[in-house]
Amino acid sequence: MSSEPPPGSGEQPPEDDPFRKRPPSDQGPGSPYDTPPGGRQPPPPGGGPYGSPYGGGPYGTGPYGSGAGGYPADPLAGMPPLADSGRRTLARIIDMILVGIVVWLLTWAFGVREYAVDGDRVEVGRSVAQSVIAAVLYVAYDTFMISRSGQTLGKKWLGLRVADLADGATPSTQTSLIRALVLWLPFAFCCACVWTAIAGGWSFFDKPYKQGLHDKAAKTVVVSTR
């Protein structure tokens, strides 16, 4: 019986996605594209669509596991190599500058600055308004760009791409939104420099997938395209 899933058995990555995982013929048994007789994937152990991320093999089950739910022992099999964390940091800085310019222009045009001193009174409301504008723009930018091609402008210029860990496909809008919210909401409202260093810097030490905290929340990885 063919290992390819029958038409309509589930959503597959677009055929023109050049960075998705190789088809089953190239990956061998255990590919996430393999479908057992009957055309349905068996539910992974541990309950829920992904199983428990802390049970099973050396890295748990589900997308982070070793063979659970039909996933290969190495989820990265067939994907480009993981991106260098230094290039990821530089790409993030580029994106921050690009969106930051737009935030500054909007807050300047509408008279919303970080703070305004009138005698002894500081207008804190303007600071909150600026944070809201920044959060909306950063989240919208990241969500739209990642769900469209897996690349923000910074990532595109530096040859990086965000991919689903489970199958290497471009993240969905929902996945991209989760990733953006975890990364940008704390950045906009309370602890910009500290949170960026923690969330993004996590990839320097994370094993085996070099994920930032936002990648862990969305179950994504960042790979190199060149």
Side-chain angles (χ1 to χ4, degrees):
M1 177 179 291
S2 171
S3 61
E4 296 184 2
S9 62
E11 181 180 355
Q12 296 289 347
E15 290 297 329
D16 59 352
D17 184 347
F19 302 110
R20 69 188 180 98
K21 286 188 175 183
R22 294 194 298 267
S25 59
D26 294 331
Q27 290 191 46
S31 164
Y33 301 109
D34 288 346
T35 304
R40 299 183 62 185
Q41 291 282 5
Y50 300 108
S52 169
Y54 303 106
Y59 301 110
T61 59
Y64 294 92
S66 52
Y71 290 103
D74 180 9
L76 300 178
M79 276 204 262
L82 292 171
D84 175 73
S85 295
R87 285 166 61 199
R88 291 184 59 174
T89 300
L90 182 57
R92 181 63 61 193
I93 291 173
I94 292 173
D95 291 328
M96 289 169 60
I97 292 174
L98 293 175
V99 180
I101 291 173
V102 178
V103 172
W104 182 86
L105 290 174
L106 287 176
T107 54
W108 174 80
F110 290 101
V112 179
R113 292 160 292 179
E114 183 176 356
Y115 61 85
V117 179
D118 182 8
D120 296 327
R121 183 169 61 90
V122 177
E123 298 183 11
V124 179
R126 295 193 174 190
S127 176
V128 174
Q130 186 185 50
S131 295
V132 170
I133 292 174
V136 170
L137 288 179
Y138 277 116
V139 170
Y141 167 78
D142 216 278
T143 301
F144 173 77
M145 297 296 288
I146 296 300
S147 63
R148 183 171 177 264
S149 64
Q151 297 175 300
T152 59
L153 291 177
K155 285 181 171 59
K156 184 176 183 178
W157 294 341
L158 293 182
L160 308 176
R161 177 183 178 271
V162 180
D164 279 330
L165 177 59
D167 58 12
T170 298
S172 66
T173 300
Q174 180 180 353
T175 298
S176 301
L177 178 60
I178 292 172
R179 190 176 186 275
L181 288 173
V182 173
L183 180 62
W184 293 116
L185 282 186
F187 171 87
F189 286 102
C190 63
C191 41
C193 295
V194 174
W195 179 249
T196 301
I198 294 174
W202 200 271
S203 66
F204 282 87
F205 310 101
D206 182 73
K207 294 183 182 300
Y209 303 129
K210 294 185 179 181
Q211 292 173 300
L213 295 182
H214 48 303
D215 289 311
K216 287 186 175 295
K219 296 181 175 64
T220 58
V221 289
V222 179
V223 297
S224 177
T225 62
R226 63 189 182 196

